[in-house]
Amino acid sequence: MRADLIVGLQWGDEGKGKIVDLLAQEFDYVVRYQGGHNAGHTIVLDGKKYALHLIPSGILNPKAINVIGNGVVVSPAALIKEMAQFENLQGRLYVSDKAHMIFEHHAAIDAAKEARRGKNAIGTTGRGIGPSYADKVARAGFRIGELLDPKVLVAKMMDYYEEHRPLFEALGVAIPTHEQVAVEIEGYARALAPFIADTTQIVWNAIDRDKRVLLEGAQGTLLDIDHGTYPFVTSSTTIAGGACSGVGLAPKEIGKVIGIAKAYTTRVGNGPFPTEDHGEDGERIRKAGAEFGTTTGRPRRCGWFDAVAMRYACRLNGTDDVALMKLDCLDGFERIKVCVAYEVDGKRIDYVPADLSRVVPVYEEMPGWKSVVGIRHYDQLPETAKQYIQKIEDVVGVRVRLISTSPDRLDTIKR
């Protein structure tokens, strides 16, 4: 048995939560492998909306075991708040003892650095994700497992604050007292200790027992620290390969890779976005798709489907199948655009260059349709919607197997 994987193919916010929730009904384990509470999955079930940031989307399946892997950076405060939405989590949720923690000072450093960048700001969520990953790489971070010995952790944190005092003072970040840190850590330890585990062993044991395991990423391919639109990226490896280090799996233990993409394109924060529409069409897509960040509430930048970037993302991830989300949000457009190539300095190219800010999209226009809302069978789709899906498949080179026609779990076409 190998672990299947869900990955975003755009700049995040593709609708991974709905697909993970849908597929989680068929899986025994759902495992998150990177990112932090800067990510947000919105799931609608029976008309009720759930916003998840750290807990895997399989939590809505009462039979699934949910795992937060070592590659995730965890805000204990955010996790505890999120856990309060659910009952009887013990035995259904595990957090890696090797996952690094995010504290208030990480968020404060994040905000202070963004403010200093001014017009060159990256557009982070300000949740402290980057500073936490930076501490991890600098071997100065704190791991969830250290909560099991609160007194030792508090002493280490006070040493850390003293060592970093010049940085904190330069950025205007306050250093907490020993008493404040002790109260905070002891509270986290009481709440989280029952959920801390060696999650690599849990996943290995699941695979060895032929259990079905689904790996869940956050953000999207174009925000990958290496292969995204650097420096306007996140601080982790968002592509399928990141699941190996973020959980503790060998590459050959990865099974089917399912890529998630919207039927259009969005982006939050700064950075290049070739198909962004600054006019009425972009605003219309934003309203139809309720394109506001789950985590921050920020309006997302909206534009037409970029098939060139998606082909790149599919190759990076080894994508087997594509799930196309929010097709219904294009209802009513007379004409719909698809980016099929780029131009750089007048030369047409069919790949994603390192500097995406210099490209101009080359569009093909297609006829729109009236409505696809709630359709659950492919043969019931309007012919023009089928043509649109076929065009995406032709340019990207990967089959569209799932098509979402509303936020509800059940309004999903399986091909």
Side-chain angles (χ1 to χ4, degrees), residues 66-96:
N66 296 268
V67 175
I68 298 175
N70 58 272
V72 180
V73 284
V74 177
S75 161
L79 178 57
I80 292 167
K81 181 179 179 181
E82 194 168 320
M83 290 167 62
Q85 300 177 85
F86 305 99
E87 297 179 354
N88 304 319
L89 286 178
Q90 202 156 344
R92 295 188 56 227
L93 176 67
Y94 295 96
V95 185
S96 173

Side-chain angles (χ1 to χ4, degrees), residues 3-8 31-35 68-73 133 136 200 215-221 223-227 234-251 253-254 257 313 316-318:
D4 292 341
L5 186 146
I6 295 281
V7 64
V31 185
R32 170 81 177 272
Y33 60 84
Q34 50 76 223
I68 298 175
N70 58 272
V72 180
V73 284
Y133 273 119
K136 175 180 178 176
T200 298
L215 307 174
E216 174 188 13
Q219 287 90 35
T221 296
L223 291 174
D224 184 82
I225 187 67
D226 288 296
H227 301 285
T234 194
S235 303
S236 59
T237 301
T238 62
I239 61 175
C244 295
S245 58
V247 177
L249 293 175
E253 291 180 296
I254 304 295
V257 177
L316 280 172
N317 290 293

Side-chain angles (χ1 to χ4, degrees), residues 39 56 58-59 75 79 99 148 151 174 213 215 234 239 299 312 318 355 370:
I59 200 67
S75 161
L79 178 57
L148 299 177
K151 290 184 178 179
V213 177
L215 307 174
T234 194
I239 61 175
Y312 169 77
D355 184 4
K370 289 185 178 179

Side-chain angles (χ1 to χ4, degrees), residues 172-184:
V173 175
I175 295 177
T177 65
H178 185 281
E179 182 180 2
Q180 289 172 326
V181 174
V183 170
E184 180 181 14

